[in-house]
Amino acid sequence: MRRLGSVKRRVWLFACLLFAVLLSAACTGGDLAEEEAGGEAKQDENLVVVGVSQIGSESVWRTANTASIQRVFTKENGYFLIFKNARQKQENQIKALRSFISQRVDYIAFSPITEQGWDTVLLEAKEAGIPVILIDRKVKVRDESLYVAWIGPDFVNEGRMAGEALEECLKRQGRQEESIRIVVLQGTEGSTSAIGRSRGFLSVAKEHQNWSILEQVDAEFTTAKGQEEMERLLHKYENIDVLISQNDDMTFGALEAIQKAGKKAGEDGDIIVISFDAVKNALKLVEEGSITADVECNPNQGEYVEAVIRKMENHENVAKLNFVEEQVFTAENVRERLEKE
Ligand code: AHR
């Protein structure tokens, strides 16, 4: 997979990077600290250059995911990282990918905000001989060879685990036969995580004729939108038995809305809440009882991406799909995890 003329490429890359840095500093006057980590490393042409385009900083999970990437792609580990934050815009991601291509980086890694719309830019990367690795979310492309590997969670299984956690909770409450009214706060429309979690949960829901989904709404994976949508749903529907919230940030907002409406979240309250991600502050709420189950989404994907790149540098084969491990947290097992945090 390694391309020919590697030394020449890196000399060329060094010149391009220097030019890009000078130009960027002249034009924008800044943001280089965040955009381009490891400035001094630019002088070492033996480093493997990795361009990473991150979706944004929409959630606590995303921040942890970014940190895991920045932790591994260091000068000490032999890398020069060019990191770009797309601030929730696909067009910014496409721009970042094109800038990586024109700088002739060794590898591109990115977390695509949505699945559609990547064929052209990925073809450009392929034609430039730059391997592309997908992090977290997937792309829908006509030609699967446009990326070499994907590292991420099994989102469909996450959705299924949420459905099973709800089954268990209703069993504990002795409400298996009761009619159960559910609302779903979904993440970014068209994203692999929202698509997969919805699909997985629906596969369990359709086995229960007494479960009815009142509404599934896009709350963009953010706290503000989660609160806004939950307020609207509470206003619209007199009785909501269950909230399925596709990330912890939306859950934090929804819990505010539930409290403001004078209702109690939790298995012993009015609304059962099932969440995704399992960030520390949400796990505390699992222990305290307002979140009944939190399906983990493992953000520590940086080390897996680095392992894929290391293999490619050593001319070894890499698996196309690489799943990270995850589990469900409930009041029963959450303490042990909190103690490790
Ligand atoms: O794609 C993973 C999802 O994206 C996480 O659940 C969410 O918190 C993030 O923003």
Side-chain angles (χ1 to χ4, degrees):
M1 199 67 215
R2 200 86 192 93
R3 290 148 328 286
L4 297 173
S6 165
V7 173
K8 266 195 207 156
R9 283 178 69 83
R10 286 184 184 158
V11 171
W12 168 248
L13 172 71
F14 169 64
C16 287
L17 282 174
L18 195 61
F19 178 70
V21 169
L22 292 173
L23 188 70
S24 175
C27 297
T28 66
D31 224 8
L32 285 179
E34 188 198 358
E35 301 285 285
E36 309 211 0
E40 68 189 274
K42 284 189 186 82
Q43 277 132 55
D44 187 343
E45 64 189 42
N46 290 316
L47 296 176
V48 175
V49 181
V50 184
V52 173
S53 166
Q54 179 59 287
I55 293 171
S57 333
E58 76 282 6
S59 62
V60 177
W61 184 94
R62 185 66 53 199
T63 304
N65 182 249
T66 295
S68 96
I69 293 163
Q70 290 175 332
R71 240 184 346 256
V72 290
F73 291 114
T74 60
K75 186 181 161 197
E76 293 67 38
N77 288 347
Y79 295 99
F80 174 59
L81 172 67
I82 309 174
F83 180 85
K84 289 190 184 283
N85 181 331
R87 299 185 166 80
Q88 301 301 310
K89 291 207 167 81
Q90 184 176 33
E91 70 205 62
N92 288 346
Q93 289 206 285
I94 293 176
K95 227 184 269 170
L97 264 49
R98 292 212 163 106
S99 96
F100 297 153
I101 296 167
S102 70
Q103 290 173 71
R104 300 191 182 194
V105 299
D106 294 307
Y107 297 89
I108 290 175
F110 83 113
S111 188
I113 183 160
T114 51
E115 293 192 340
Q116 305 284 345
W118 301 102
D119 291 82
T120 309
V121 71
L122 292 188
L123 184 62
E124 290 166 24
K126 189 177 177 187
E127 284 172 353
I130 303 173
V132 172
I133 298 151
L134 305 177
I135 314 173
D136 169 34
R137 302 182 188 172
K138 290 181 178 158
V139 293
K140 272 246 169 338
V141 281
R142 280 185 296 274
D143 173 4
E144 295 287 320
S145 77
L146 292 180
Y147 62 92
V148 292
W150 163 84
I151 289 113
D154 184 340
F155 291 117
V156 177
N157 191 45
E158 287 182 3
R160 234 181 267 127
M161 291 196 285
E164 287 161 7
L166 178 57
E167 283 178 334
E168 279 162 31
C169 171
L170 294 171
K171 204 160 144 192
R172 282 194 296 274
Q173 294 180 321
R175 296 169 73 196
Q176 298 102 307
E177 306 302 326
E178 255 178 50
S179 111
I180 303 295
R181 296 153 60 91
I182 303 168
V183 294
V184 182
L185 293 180
Q186 295 177 306
T188 309
E189 194 181 346
S191 66
T192 312
S193 26
I195 295 169
R197 287 170 186 166
S198 300
R199 195 171 292 160
F201 179 73
L202 289 180
S203 73
V204 178
K206 73 170 189 245
E207 290 166 17
H208 299 274
Q209 288 196 343
N210 57 323
W211 294 13
S212 59
I213 297 183
L214 301 173
E215 216 170 296
Q216 305 193 77
V217 57
D218 178 1
E220 298 168 3
F221 283 131
T222 66
T223 299
K225 199 73 185 159
Q227 177 163 355
E228 183 189 314
E229 286 300 338
M230 193 63 197
E231 278 170 7
R232 186 184 62 76
L233 292 164
L234 285 161
H235 192 71
K236 183 166 171 188
Y237 303 101
E238 208 177 312
N239 291 313
I240 296 173
D241 300 301
V242 178
L243 163 66
I244 303 292
S245 168
Q246 290 183 354
N247 89 343
D248 286 336
D249 296 76
M250 295 188 295
T251 304
F252 298 142
L255 289 174
E256 280 283 321
I258 292 171
Q259 200 188 17
K260 261 173 65 184
K263 301 209 178 225
K264 185 169 185 263
E267 200 164 324
D268 62 347
D270 307 298
I271 304 179
I272 298 166
V273 177
I274 312 257
S275 190
F276 291 81
D277 281 359
V279 304
K280 192 174 178 182
N281 283 339
L283 292 180
K284 288 185 186 159
L285 297 177
V286 171
E287 186 167 53
E288 170 256 313
S290 45
I291 299 177
T292 293
D294 205 336
V295 181
E296 181 184 23
C297 182
N298 185 346
N300 297 319
Q301 297 166 6
E303 63 199 67
Y304 292 76
V305 181
E306 197 273 329
V308 165
I309 291 182
R310 197 163 2 101
K311 276 190 176 171
M312 292 179 71
E313 286 290 300
N314 293 331
H315 312 280
E316 290 170 36
N317 289 333
V318 297
K320 188 92 178 176
L321 301 180
N322 302 270
F323 292 92
V324 294
E325 285 178 18
E326 26 206 27
Q327 57 179 311
V328 181
F329 292 100
T330 62
E332 271 178 26
N333 62 353
V334 72
R335 178 93 305 262
E336 201 187 323
R337 173 60 169 258
L338 277 169
E339 274 160 16
K340 286 191 198 142
E341 291 267 343

